[in-house]
Amino acid sequence: MNEREQLMGKFRSLRFAQVDLGLFLDSHPDDPEALATYRELMREAEAVKKKYEESYGPLTPGAGSSGDYWDWVATPFPWESC
Amino acid sequence: MWTYEKTLQFPVRIKNPNPALAKIIISQLGGPHGELGAATRYLSQRFSMPDRRIVGMLTDVGTEELGHVEIVSSILAQLTKNMSEQQVKESGFDVYFVDHTAGIYPQAASGVPFSTSTIASTGDVFADLNEDLAAEQKARVTYENILRLTDDPDVREPIKFLRQREINHYQRFAECLGIAQDAFAEKKNFYYYNPAFDRGVGLKNG
């Protein structure tokens, strides 16, 4: 597994944990442990996302945009990986 | 408003094309228990929910279901990539191919196009949440039937992930039903009211 795949795998795991815990918080909005864990997951996911985008292009349209080309349409869409 | 992230919630990397399998899995895109119906159901129902915890749940589960539409579509795209004409004919995929080639079109495995007749949005919190609980169970069964019909690990892993999400969502919707019932507990027969319509019986938020 190359560095790009490793970073993406980490981002995907963190984002998934965040989404799943977010559902729990919808029905338990006053759970202090879940709130603290959610905030930590979000912070980590955003940090990994930023690191990925710096090397491998935007995950959200326009992220890290610079230069003379719209990178969003230069990097693969997620189902292309076969 | 939504934003898109250029990643699948669970990775899909299928090495071997298998149009016969795509013919079956397409039901979880546009079939009666499919992901497109799930997203449409939850994102529509939320407008008449009387409690923000339940509105939040339907918004967030509905959003996740859109991600699942993308996972199932990715599986279909990869299973039908680089097919030979012979594979199209022998797999029985020809009846889909004639109209859609290898394009992604939401339909049931039977060929019936995606239809909102497979979902309900009643404006009633109890009717809708019970519909949602049943929907998650029906989708789980369909994923289990897909697992019975394939031994390709590249396909099984994302399908197992999607099956597990049905169970998680079921649990969360059960909690929502509890929230709604607790809020109406002081009334002797809470099914007498439709909280989306009758005045003065709305739930409290939070």
Side-chain angles (χ1 to χ4, degrees), chain B residues 139-202:
Chain B
R140 173 186 58 77
V141 172
T142 305
Y143 281 124
E144 287 169 5
N145 288 338
I146 290 169
L147 288 169
R148 287 175 209 278
L149 296 171
T150 176
D151 50 12
D152 182 348
D154 294 348
V155 176
R156 289 181 65 87
E157 287 311 307
I159 295 292
K160 278 157 65 181
F161 171 82
L162 292 167
R163 174 191 172 275
Q164 181 60 48
R165 296 310 291 156
E166 308 301 335
I167 295 167
N168 284 48
H169 293 168
Y170 179 85
Q171 179 61 39
R172 299 283 91 86
F173 285 137
E175 290 160 2
C176 288
L177 188 57
I179 286 169
Q181 286 171 334
D182 285 350
F184 274 70
E186 73 272 17
K187 305 198 167 52
K188 284 198 165 71
N189 178 7
F190 48 69
Y191 293 112
Y192 180 75
Y193 303 97
N194 181 335
F197 184 75
D198 296 315
R199 291 180 184 208
V201 294

Side-chain angles (χ1 to χ4, degrees), chain A:
Chain A
M1 195 182 281
N2 61 34
E3 195 204 39
R4 189 187 70 77
E5 287 168 339
Q6 271 179 352
L7 267 179
M8 176 47 79
K10 196 171 177 194
F11 171 67
R12 201 187 279 117
S13 301
L14 287 165
R15 190 60 104 215
F16 170 66
Q18 191 195 330
V19 165
D20 193 40
L21 195 54
L23 299 185
F24 177 83
L25 279 163
D26 286 339
S27 53
H28 305 79
D30 57 356
D31 185 308
E33 200 184 337
L35 277 169
T37 307
Y38 183 92
R39 287 167 186 153
E40 177 61 18
L41 284 167
M42 186 164 73
R43 195 191 59 75
E44 283 184 48
E46 291 304 321
V48 174
K49 181 180 180 180
K50 193 159 177 282
K51 196 174 169 197
Y52 180 97
E53 288 177 324
E54 279 165 7
S55 301
Y56 305 108
L59 294 177
T60 308
S65 187
S66 63
D68 56 3
Y69 200 83
W70 180 241
D71 288 340
W72 179 245
V73 294
T75 55
F77 278 82
W79 52 89
E80 292 180 45
S81 57
C82 64

